[in-house]
Amino acid sequence: MKKTSLSLFIIFFTLHASLFMSEVHAQANLWITGSGVPGGTQQLVKVPGQQIFKFAGSLLPGEVRIMDTETPVDNTKYLVPRYPDAYIVNNGIPFTQIANAEMPGWVVTFAEDRYRFTVDLSAMKLTGELFDSWDELFIVGGAVECGWKAHVMLPLERVEGERCTYTWTGELKNRSENVEPQRFKFMGQNAWDPKHLHPYKQDELPQNSTCLRTGGDDTKWQINRDGFYRITVDVFRETFSAEYLGQSLDGETMRGEGEDATGIDIASDLSPKGERSGYIYDLQGRIVKEQGAWGKSQESTSSPITHHLSPGVYIIDGKRIVVR
């Protein structure tokens, strides 16, 4: 008799779980409400192509409840933690979906503007944290000038007035000398660990990508055409945007294979002793060459200064110069 009861319970639980999963995977939007939500109700951000919803922002002391309609109605379903007194900051708490509006949600113990949590409907789990701002962000990859090399990764620039938003403008191209020559990703330090950012799917096109994730599988973005890109990353909200700028940037002077850069008068950049007097910067504002870096000129003054530079993008006399 006990075995029969147990078997019936297992069958009932399996059918119930299957029904629940079918409802979960059909979910298009989620909202949060409760005393812990500023404004009363906010919509969560859905990751395209995933059954994952995200929140990043301010919460108040109180309770956060998740529902599948913008306002409570008769058929509203709620995602509630399976354990009592579940905190919004956690390492992953399973939830269930019910129609009971009286069931408690997640607990917020104090007000803060850097709460971040993820609702994963496929795993039926909520994970939350208090986000610590990143001090720096780097791009690295086979498509990047630095390749897959630690300690020489290219830094992104923090957007003025933004604590967690970074931007980078530079060239991405198929660099056959590198492993994974068309791919790239982001690191939270000029090394491989511990912080890193990835797309949700392998080989997402940067211009089509909108969301990213912290940690997890080592997926990467992949370009489908060479050229210059402007990329913006918000490490708090985990958003991503990329704009393809073309084969050159406005105002740049190009040097192709076997060609000299034009528009630079070397003779005017020489001191009476034959030393070059100016500074050359990379796109991050770092000095690449300092005054007198080449010593006395051993060549004709008509020879372009870019012969002394490795391939890349530089700022010379206020002009962007691409050296190929």
Side-chain angles (χ1 to χ4, degrees):
M1 183 66 180
K2 289 183 178 180
K3 290 184 178 180
T4 302
S5 299
L6 179 60
S7 299
L8 289 174
F9 172 78
I10 293 174
I11 293 172
F12 171 79
F13 180 82
T14 303
L15 291 174
H16 178 74
S18 299
L19 178 61
F20 171 68
M21 288 302 293
S22 65
E23 293 175 338
V24 164
H25 283 285
Q27 193 63 53
N29 296 292
L30 289 176
W31 289 262
I32 54 173
T33 188
S35 58
V37 182
T41 302
Q42 293 186 36
Q43 186 172 356
L44 299 183
V45 176
K46 187 178 188 299
V47 176
Q50 305 285 324
Q51 281 294 291
I52 295 175
F53 296 79
K54 291 179 174 289
F55 172 85
S58 300
L59 292 177
L60 303 171
E63 183 185 64
V64 172
R65 302 168 70 235
I66 304 170
M67 56 187 181
D68 64 357
T69 59
E70 185 172 4
T71 56
V73 293
D74 290 342
N75 63 345
T76 297
K77 293 184 177 61
Y78 300 87
L79 305 183
V80 298
R82 294 187 181 180
Y83 310 121
D85 300 323
Y87 292 96
I88 197 69
V89 176
N90 63 77
N91 290 324
I93 294 180
F95 57 75
T96 187
Q97 187 177 43
I98 62 174
N100 185 352
E102 303 302 320
M103 293 294 291
W106 278 266
V107 177
V108 182
T109 55
F110 56 88
E112 181 57 73
D113 63 359
R114 54 191 180 98
Y115 282 103
R116 188 167 78 173
F117 64 82
T118 299
V119 178
D120 188 335
L121 295 182
S122 298
M124 294 184 288
K125 183 180 293 185
L126 181 147
T127 305
E129 65 176 340
L130 276 176
F131 180 75
D132 289 328
S133 298
W134 293 18
D135 294 327
E136 53 190 0
L137 190 66
F138 296 83
I139 185 171
V140 65
V144 187
E145 182 181 354
C146 63
W148 295 106
K149 297 179 181 178
H151 313 303
V152 293
M153 301 175 184
L154 302 187
L156 279 72
E157 180 181 354
R158 193 192 303 266
V159 175
E160 185 176 357
E162 294 288 337
R163 184 171 62 181
C164 301
T165 306
Y166 294 82
T167 186
W168 178 83
T169 300
E171 187 180 29
L172 297 174
K173 66 178 184 179
N174 186 339
R175 301 177 189 271
S176 58
E177 68 273 18
N178 296 330
V179 176
E180 299 179 294
Q182 294 176 281
R183 291 174 173 167
F184 67 94
K185 61 180 179 179
F186 299 94
M187 310 301 297
Q189 60 287 312
N190 197 0
W192 297 119
D193 291 306
K195 298 178 291 188
H196 39 100
L197 299 174
H198 305 272
Y200 276 87
K201 294 181 178 180
Q202 180 73 304
D203 295 335
E204 281 191 27
L205 294 178
Q207 54 269 49
N208 295 341
S209 187
T210 59
C211 294
L212 50 79
R213 55 178 170 76
T214 304
D217 294 339
D218 191 24
T219 55
K220 306 172 184 72
W221 288 270
Q222 178 169 274
I223 61 170
N224 62 350
R225 52 179 172 171
D226 296 353
F228 288 85
Y229 292 77
R230 180 178 295 115
I231 295 174
T232 302
V233 175
D234 188 325
V235 297
F236 175 46
R237 298 175 181 83
E238 295 185 313
T239 59
F240 174 96
S241 65
E243 178 185 2
Y244 179 73
L245 303 178
Q247 294 294 320
S248 63
L249 297 175
D250 292 341
E252 288 184 334
T253 304
M254 306 294 292
R255 186 179 83 185
E257 184 175 353
E259 298 177 349
D260 291 338
T262 59
I264 302 177
D265 185 356
I266 289 298
S268 66
D269 195 36
L270 294 174
S271 71
K273 294 182 179 181
E275 296 176 349
R276 309 192 188 282
S277 59
Y279 290 96
I280 297 179
Y281 302 86
D282 63 17
L283 288 180
Q284 285 72 46
R286 299 172 300 193
I287 294 176
V288 177
K289 297 290 184 182
E290 298 185 16
Q291 184 176 2
W294 298 283
K296 294 183 180 300
S297 175
Q298 300 296 320
E299 57 191 342
S300 166
T301 56
S302 64
S303 178
I305 201 171
T306 51
H307 281 175
H308 296 279
L309 300 174
S310 300
V313 185
Y314 302 91
I315 306 297
I316 304 176
D317 292 336
K319 300 177 182 178
R320 291 177 184 264
I321 305 298
V322 178
V323 178
R324 297 189 182 282

